[in-house]
Structure formats: structure tokens, C-alpha cells
Amino acid sequence: MRVGRTWIIAALLAVMVGAALAETPAEKDARMKWWDEARFGLFVTWGLYAIPAGIWEDGRVCRNEYGEWIASDLAIPYSQYARLASRWSPAKWDPESLIRMAAEAGMKYLVFTTKFHDGFSMFDTKASDWSVVKSTPWAKDSFRGLADAARKYGLKLMPYYSILDWRHPDYDPRAPFNDLAAGHPDLDRYLVFLKAQLTELQTNYGPLAGIWFDGNWSKTWTEARGRDLDAFVRRLIPGAVVNNRVGPPKDGVNGIVQGDFSTPEEKIPANGLPGLRWESCMTMNETWGYRKDDLKWKNPVTLIRMLIDCASKGGNFLLNVGPTAEGEIPGPSLLALREFAAWMKVNAAAIYGTQAGPFPKTPSWGRVTRKGDALYLHVFDWPADGIMVLPLSNSARAARILGRPGAQVKFEREPTGLKLVLPKIDLDPSATVIELILDGAPALIPAK
Ligand code: H79
């Protein structure tokens, strides 16, 4: 009898605690608000791999695009890779100027490789000697300047942290080229280290906005471990935003069952990811970590249109910069950031706080974002005759071209839709944006 009552009370308590911990959709929307509105972030990929920069000492070239993978791709014994640390001395590193440029470019958050798969800590840590502070002649903290500048310029801070570790003796499965580890790996012991590092990041650089995990695909990274890590981060960081790579990949989509958003890498999903939050992370060339032999730079127009494409499908765009070993930002990256700054200065209203556009198919002339009753028409290809008919049954209240106060946009209702008559103006090579205020929520005329 007494046991029975104890059990009932215990069960009731468990239900109440569960209900108190579970987040309502409205609470989740509130927690995700800054991220939903931001739309644009900066990824900084920086580590020892910037020294070989794609080409190892013996002349071998990293065969895959990703220069940060050179140790794995060329099976460099870790004891040799580790010697790179003695050459780390980035005389030209200027984190404040990078963050200032990012802020001017319109980026609202920073993701920085505090620890990549190579296991090297790019921040000051007590949990290991294998860090930029303790193992390099530079002996300074690569994250401190970025974190301070991010706070100063109002960018949210979201450290990148790889679960995978090619160096740690307890990471399981051990990298075949890890010749420095002895004994048996113990993933639970590794997780004590990992959690200690995450705690240091929050305590010494925070408050953080969340964690951007990577390296989640080994068979040992189980659903249960993912859930445990997810819960740990949410206890550590109030209101944390966590990407889906905290858990194992699932159903061919990376970790879709966990975390707050999906993370398509180097691609933008053709139709967005309906029903999910997502963020495309993208390189400016084809590598994340700097490599001297990657000259395949995307031009700024392409990159700006990628940001627009993501926003028009309801997603975020996380754009990467890979500083050199000297700490310099490659020229084409600086150029792109400047072009973003110029475009965003005029057109930011068409990006921040917007949702996906209303049309099921992407228009032939460009992309559409939406904010309430306002549509932003990002025109890539301006119609030669100046006529654009939108398949909407709405009328319009107002229309203007962002950054062109003198230009007139006329509109009228037609049986086939809402017709715009556009002026002849100097066009923006990336996108010229028309702000169209409708008489209510967009109402589609179904395609015949
Ligand atoms: O840090 C960047 C990548 O290095 C990292 N995520 C971004 C942000 C990443 N790690 N793994 N992956 C992405 C996916 C796995 C890619 C692989 Fe391959 C394909 C591993 C082996 C084959 C690409 C090609 C990497 C090495 C060879």
C-alpha cells in the first residue's frame, strides 16, 4: 500500500517535471527569435591546417576540396601534424577588423572553429595542453579577440565544436593516423573532457547563443549520446540554439531528429526544408580552412544571391571565411564582405526578419521574401518591357524600389494577377529589390 502510493507520487512528479521542461511552440519561437530574424551569419574556419594550406611538406596535395581535412586525407601521422603548432605565429591576425567587416556586411552571428576534427583547441583551455595557448610559440588565444569583438559589434556567439577528435586518446573510433594515443579509448571519459571544454567556452567567453556541433557521424555517436549532449548544452546555456549535428545523422538527413535547425553543407535545398528551420553553410571557394591552391572563388554576385535564395526559402545563410596561417583574410573574401556591406546597406529590410516568399515555384526573374503583408521582390533579371505580373489576387497599397527614392513603380489589378510597371533605372548586379505592400496577406491565384 505504502509502496503503491510512493510510486503514484513519483509518477506524478515525473509527469509534472516533464511538463515543466517541455517547451511549447510559442516558447520555442521566442527562444529562436534572434536566429529566425538574423538570416545571415559568419563562419570562421581557422586552425593548424592553414599552415600546410592544402599542400603537405613532402609536396603531396590534399585530394579532397577541404583543406582542413589534410591530416586525414594524406594519413599524416599525428605526431608529424602536431609539429605544425611550433610554426603558429599569426602576425597579421586582426579579429576586430574581421568582425567589424562582418557586422558591416550584415552578419548577425559568428560561428568559430573552437575545436575542429583535428582536436586542436583554438581557445584557452585547462582541459588539455593541446591548445593554441599552451602548444604554440604565439601562446595567445585565437578565440578571445573574436568573442570580444562579436560582443562589441552585436554579433551572437555560437562556437563550432567537433564531437569527432583525431587526437584525443579517448575518442572512439580512434583515427588510424593517431600515433600519439596509447591504451584503450573510452568515449565516456572523452565526453567528460568535451563537456569541460563546453563549460569553459560558456564561462570564459559567454554568454553564448548556442553551439554549432560537427563530426557527429561515427557509429559510436548514438541517439542516446546525442540526446545527453543536447540536454547538457541546454542546461549549460540558457536559451541555447543548437544545430542538428548534436545527434547522429538520421534518414539520410543529418541529425534531423535533434537540435533546432538542419545544416545543409555547401548546398541550398531547392525548395527549402518545409516544416524545419535550416541554415546553409557555404564556402566562398571550395574549402573551409585556407588553402593556397583553391582559387575557385565564387563571385560576390553569386554569394549575395545565395543569401537571397536562402531567405526566400525561409532559411539562414552561414558564409565561411578561412584566414591564412598569418591571420590574413584572403582578398576575395574581403571583396565579398565589402560587396555584401554595400548591398545590405540598401536592402537589409528585404532580408532581416523575413519569411519565405508565397510562391510555390521560384519566379524566373528572381526571388521573393515576405514580412507580413509586404513582399520583397529580389529581381535578378529585370524584365526588358518593364512588366511583371504576379499571380496574386491582392491589390497593392504601395510599391517602391529600395535605395531609389525617385523611381516610380506603378501597379494595377488585372484578371491574371497583380501587374507592376517598372521604371528604367540603373540596376544592382546582384538584385534590385522592389518592396510591395499588399492589401492583406498574399493570396495566390492558382497556376492553371
Ligand atoms: O568544417 C567543415 C567540414 O570540414 C566539416 N563541416 C564543415 C563545416 C565536415 N566534416 N565532415 N563533413 C563535413 C562531411 C564529411 C565529408 C567527407 Fe570527405 C566526405 C568525409 C570524407 C568524405 C570531404 C571529402 C571531406 C573529406 C573528404
Side-chain angles (χ1 to χ4, degrees), residues 43 45 49 62-69 72-73 113 116-117 160 162 164 166 212-217 245 254 265-266 281-283 287-289 318 320:
F43 202 139
T45 303
Y49 37 78
C62 184
R63 293 160 302 177
N64 68 68
E65 294 92 348
Y66 292 179
E68 67 279 8
W69 273 76
S72 164
D73 184 65
T113 49
F116 180 64
H117 310 335
Y160 166 108
S162 179
L164 165 57
W166 294 331
W212 207 105
F213 286 108
D214 201 1
N216 60 330
W217 58 81
R245 300 187 193 189
N254 212 354
E265 179 167 323
E266 291 287 65
C281 52
M282 186 68 62
T283 57
T287 182
W288 299 87
L318 180 62
N320 182 70

Side-chain angles (χ1 to χ4, degrees), residues 195-350:
K195 289 175 181 178
Q197 288 214 309
L198 295 181
T199 305
E200 289 181 311
L201 288 170
Q202 166 72 349
T203 309
N204 301 335
Y205 304 85
L208 304 175
I211 304 285
W212 207 105
F213 286 108
D214 201 1
N216 60 330
W217 58 81
S218 86
K219 286 221 163 55
T220 59
W221 196 249
T222 58
E223 192 79 35
R225 289 193 189 279
R227 281 192 205 289
D228 173 76
L229 182 56
D230 187 72
F232 174 82
V233 171
R234 292 178 197 286
R235 281 195 302 270
L236 177 69
I237 305 171
V241 174
V242 181
N243 71 338
N244 63 336
R245 300 187 193 189
V246 65
K250 186 128 180 171
D251 303 333
V253 184
N254 212 354
I256 211 163
V257 292
Q258 285 179 44
D260 294 314
F261 62 94
S262 293
T263 50
E265 179 167 323
E266 291 287 65
K267 54 179 180 277
I268 298 171
N271 301 303
L273 297 176
L276 293 172
R277 288 183 168 87
W278 58 276
E279 171 204 70
S280 278
C281 52
M282 186 68 62
T283 57
M284 289 199 190
N285 43 3
E286 294 186 342
T287 182
W288 299 87
Y290 175 73
R291 57 185 294 180
K292 53 192 163 200
D293 58 342
D294 183 347
L295 305 176
K296 292 191 183 159
W297 296 96
K298 300 172 183 83
N299 72 48
V301 168
T302 302
L303 293 170
I304 292 170
R305 289 182 177 188
M306 284 178 165
L307 168 64
I308 295 167
D309 193 25
C310 288
S312 78
K313 293 165 180 169
N316 283 9
F317 188 51
L318 180 62
L319 184 58
N320 182 70
V321 161
T324 68
E326 285 282 280
E328 271 186 306
I329 310 305
S333 298
L334 293 174
L335 176 70
L337 290 175
R338 274 189 228 109
E339 294 290 333
F340 269 102
W343 190 85
M344 287 293 272
K345 197 171 175 190
V346 173
N347 298 296

